[in-house]
Amino acid sequence: MMQRRCFSSSTSRLAASAKKLRKKMHWADEAKLLTNIQRALNHYDDFYGSVFGKQWPSMRLGLLSPPKYMAIPNSFTGNIEIITQKLEGMGAYNIQQLWSDSQLVLEKESKELDLNKDLGRLHQLDKTLEAIAATKKAAELDLLYQNAPTGKRPGDIQMGKPPMGRLISKVSEASADFIPSTKMKGMDDFTLDSEYFSSYLKKHDESLDDEAATENTDTTEDNDVLFIKPNQSQSLLQFPKFLIPYSFENGSAMNFPPASRDSSNLREYICVNGSSILPVIALDLRPGTNLLDMCAGPGTKSLMALMTMTADSITCNDLETSRLARVKNILLEFIGTSKPEMITFTKYNSRDHPARQEYSRVLVDVPCLNDRVSCTVADNNIFKPKRTKERLALVKTQKEILLSGFKTVDQNDGSAVVYSTCTLSPIENDGVVMNALKETEVPNLYIDLVGLIKLVTPFERAGVFRVTRTRCGILVTPTTTRNFGPMYVSRIVVKPLMPANDVS
């Protein structure tokens, strides 16, 4: 009787345990049930939450809220005054005028530019990236090969305490711990984000003390990244005369209606995420310049460049036929056939563009995580499981496109390459720029951080954008009241070395 009772009790306990086990789903199976948007948000919460800290909740809410737009009158209609009056009648204000007024105030204050101002925050960012580098690599490899270490979620590994007390700096080190050697085939096709963490951090330790970075010295054998000095003579980036964006006040829920057509059947204005004007202004287009837009699709930045009415010619390049078709369509909507001689369309792979030193301005607006789209649009989301390898290959693709862009720019003093993304990721932003500058064989390239900061400071002072300075550029971060961005911009200029007895 006692044996039967014990057997019955044991059976009950076993049944209860089995029921619990059935209910407890393995994390890999549970992950399969997540939507693409949830996967994106989980990634951003883990990554950006660590990078941006207390600012991340505000940024997250901004990304999930409708973006804020600017309306740019179409300078090809010939009716700029009528269109601007119409926009002002809606309650929108002139961003160009606001920038000019703010710049005048700053000039009167005569404050010197302090590039060391954010040094402490940038060093803290380095420490944060170092703390998450190893766990990020483990997670990436697990995503690729579905071989989780010890059955844990990547996020379950304690932040800041890498496995075996070390940072994994090479794929080969990680492979022995996390993936079977038989599954390493194909790893040469791309570089993981975490590879750029390690490289990014190493380069800071070696050469990016801000005081040393702003020195105008000859390029060393190590090909250190060089910066324009604050007191170095250069042209001040100006707001193009015919690029006149309009926006509603911060916090306003007003939206611009669809643009009407003029008597020539051209659209009166185009609506864009306001931060996208920055890469175009950073190009410093002027008469005599010729522009290559390396990844032109869908065409909004090429159109804005044309609307400045300054560059002599613009070449719109994109490898995908569908994206190039969108560029042609948007230009037809806004320009028609008024100046066809200005525009050339090409269909080259931007990672190996055939042009060599042909363009005085190059825009490298690369494919990226596209944070705002990734966490709001489910269709064809970059976080879709079938696109995992493509997503992890983005950083290598971006670097190769930027390296190709360096080869297309001519070597005249003042020629420029502008690199931009619409992601908050420091690896796709500063990481790509620094790696590309370290690897390029193109000489005389300098980061014009001075010009960028002088460009965005009037915007920031006037309350238009929330701007964060980074190592190699500037980053517009979204908020619910100033919901522009994200937009990262880095400006790399050609500055031939001057003889020792010359004064620059």
Side-chain angles (χ1 to χ4, degrees), residues 116 206-217 225-227:
N116 293 320
E206 290 176 350
S207 63
L208 276 188
D209 175 15
D210 275 33
E211 290 183 2
T214 54
E215 291 179 1
N216 184 19
T217 58
V225 177
L226 299 175
F227 290 71

Side-chain angles (χ1 to χ4, degrees), residues 75-76 242 280 285 291 299-311 313-314 316 331 335 339 342-343:
S75 48
F76 286 93
F242 293 104
V280 177
L285 297 171
L291 168 67
T300 51
K301 291 183 179 68
S302 290
L303 175 61
M304 285 189 282
L306 283 162
M307 283 180 171
T308 65
M309 309 291 282
T310 49
S313 66
I314 295 182
C316 303
L331 297 185
I335 298 177
K339 285 185 179 285
M342 290 180 61
I343 310 165

